[in-house]
Amino acid sequence: MPLPKPPAKRAALLTPADFESQAAPKPGKRSQKHAATEPAGPAVLDLLEPPREAAPLIPRAAPVPARPPQAEARRRKPKHTGPAKLFVLDTNVLMHDPMSVFRFEEHDVYLPMITLEELDDHKKGMSEVARNARQVSRDLDALAAALADGTGRDMADGLPLDSTGHKDAQGKLFFQTTLVNVALPAGLPQGKADNQILGVVQALREQHPKREVVLVSKDINMRIKARALGLAAEDYFNDKTLDDGDLLYTGVQPLPSDFWDQHGKTMESWNQGGQTYYRISGPMVPQLMVNQFVYLEAPGAAPLYAKVAEITGKTAVLRTLREYTHQKNAVWGVTARNREQNFALNLLMDPECDFITLTGTAGTGKTLMTLAAGLSQVMDDRRYTEIIVTRVTVPVGEDIGFLPGTEEEKMGPWMGALDDNLEVLSKTDSGAGEWGRAATNDLVRSKIKIKSLNFMRGRTFLNKFVIIDEAQNLTPKQMKTLITRAGPGTKIVCLGNLAQIDTPYLTEGSSGLTYAVDRFKGWPHSGHVTLARGERSRLADFASEVL
């Protein structure tokens, strides 16, 4: 059948007759084809055939809008096949993660009235806890406003958590609307907030015997008391980037001993800029990431130390490293003493790496190497204008009170590690004499600025070398606040030891340093190295192993 005539002028529409002529089935054509090719079937099938012929075809000129096939795939499948659980949230969960009410997928969330009272008590102030409490109050107000817009709905029926745009939250939010009178054991004071929440959990379990009622709390003692009373209690796990700290990306990948046998046949190599490049394709490529370090140390053969420079499809390009273990390549008088330190210095001296994370135990040389690389690129290469050092002011013991002076003077006692490393770096210049070293120290001090985290919001660093020390004590939100301060030409280096977390409610899995390492891995302008071997002293190495 010929196509309809094209429109004679712009914005002209096809006539209804043209649509009908294209949509109408061709008479007898389909039935004759099937009669010639298919065997005769039973009469029941012949009765069902005409409706299939009468179904009109969809014309190409007027497509019917349909839901994209990915829409159903995007919706997360429920992991729990039984009835939805009812999670009772403690106040510390809301103050730790203000978005926690939307993190329970298809399950329901219940907030006791005493939780709202405690939120109201903590909303005043400029601390992180106060900001989170205010954010939770705004989210709850938005959910209640969505209920007020509806008709015929009651607060006791629950508030749909997806009404404010959080599509992953398929459950409902319930507030305590009735007074609960549950007799707890005599040893628990009835007026304490934790015990009132435990009473609510026990009452909910009696009201809903077919549903699983779970208390979610960051307080270990409250979870212990709940389990002692026979109540289900769990920690809040959604803030953890990794369940196990051993699964953290190390940035280093050892190559198998038969690497050259498996990848040597299709390998290409060339020299450029004094460095050797290898283009490989084989079973090892899917395991690699950009800026990941690889090494091969086999007895009787020359070792290979390289970095993954590029990954394209099923091929990867490896680039050999600069050897910073030799004195001729020393960075501000500092040389690498082991393999991981050599990897770290290659990252620190690479102008294409804008974000670097270094983790490791005490004495692995994180601060010393970073400071030496910063001074070399600020004083010698003129790549950056100055070094900015900051850290979280979390005391190991009791606080000594307020500190006098300016911002830099207040941060001075917290920067003992900086002073110790500067003293080591100043001793590397042995030929300048005492007066020359003193002048160098004054010049170095003028290029290093010590800043506090409390005044970072709203700032933008241009052409700065930023060092964030003790980054394991940062929350993911604080880490995002600091990293987004970077302007053009700025390099940020995060240093930390995940075994020395001093901030309450932070673990190795939920630390901001773990969060940054996991999210930045594979980005072409970032790198990470886990330093494994301590180089401080034999006493420090032995103490870190046995104590």
Side-chain angles (χ1 to χ4, degrees), residues 457-476:
R457 183 161 293 177
R459 298 196 60 180
T460 301
F461 299 123
L462 303 176
N463 296 320
K464 301 291 193 299
F465 191 94
V466 183
I467 303 174
I468 305 175
D469 202 5
E470 303 294 336
Q472 75 274 2
N473 289 321
L474 290 170
T475 64

Side-chain angles (χ1 to χ4, degrees), residues 105-318:
E105 298 177 351
E106 72 272 14
H107 303 291
D108 297 333
V109 177
Y110 188 94
L111 293 183
M113 197 57 66
I114 190 64
T115 299
L116 301 179
E117 291 287 340
E118 288 189 309
L119 278 177
D120 189 64
D121 293 339
H122 290 88
K123 70 180 181 181
K124 298 178 182 178
M126 297 302 296
S127 63
E128 189 74 16
V129 172
R131 283 192 288 268
N132 290 344
R134 291 193 292 269
Q135 180 63 40
V136 172
S137 300
R138 286 191 289 267
D139 291 337
L140 296 181
D141 181 63
L143 290 171
L147 174 67
D149 295 339
T151 58
R153 295 162 63 185
D154 189 12
M155 182 78 76
D157 298 333
L159 308 178
L161 289 170
D162 59 354
S163 60
T164 55
H166 301 83
K167 299 302 181 184
D168 291 337
Q170 300 298 318
K172 292 184 177 181
L173 173 65
F174 294 91
F175 291 100
Q176 180 183 351
T177 57
T178 58
L179 181 63
V180 177
N181 188 12
V182 177
L184 290 174
L188 295 177
Q190 300 292 329
K192 193 173 181 181
D194 290 356
N195 299 334
Q196 294 184 34
I197 295 176
L198 292 175
V200 170
V201 176
Q202 186 169 341
L204 288 174
R205 195 177 67 166
E206 295 174 358
Q207 294 175 8
H208 307 279
K210 296 183 179 180
R211 296 185 66 178
E212 186 176 356
V213 182
V214 183
L215 171 66
V216 181
S217 175
K218 299 291 292 183
D219 189 352
I220 299 177
N221 292 329
M222 188 171 180
R223 296 199 301 268
I224 294 175
K225 287 195 295 184
R227 289 163 184 156
L229 295 175
L231 305 176
E234 294 180 1
D235 192 5
Y236 180 67
F237 296 108
N238 197 276
D239 61 328
K240 293 186 178 181
T241 306
L242 298 174
D243 294 333
D244 190 356
D246 296 335
L247 302 176
L248 183 65
Y249 172 67
T250 61
V252 180
Q253 176 74 34
L255 297 177
S257 57
D258 58 347
F259 173 75
W260 295 118
D261 298 334
Q262 294 184 359
H263 301 79
K265 297 180 181 179
T266 60
M267 185 185 66
E268 304 174 12
S269 64
W270 67 93
N271 291 326
Q272 181 179 348
Q275 292 176 313
T276 306
Y277 291 80
Y278 300 95
R279 188 185 303 276
I280 62 171
S281 60
M284 196 71 189
V285 174
Q287 307 176 24
L288 301 178
M289 292 187 178
V290 179
N291 283 346
Q292 186 179 23
F293 292 95
V294 295
Y295 68 92
L296 176 59
E297 296 175 343
L304 170 68
Y305 302 107
K307 185 175 71 169
V308 181
E310 178 187 345
I311 295 179
T312 306
K314 297 182 180 180
T315 63
V317 177
L318 306 182

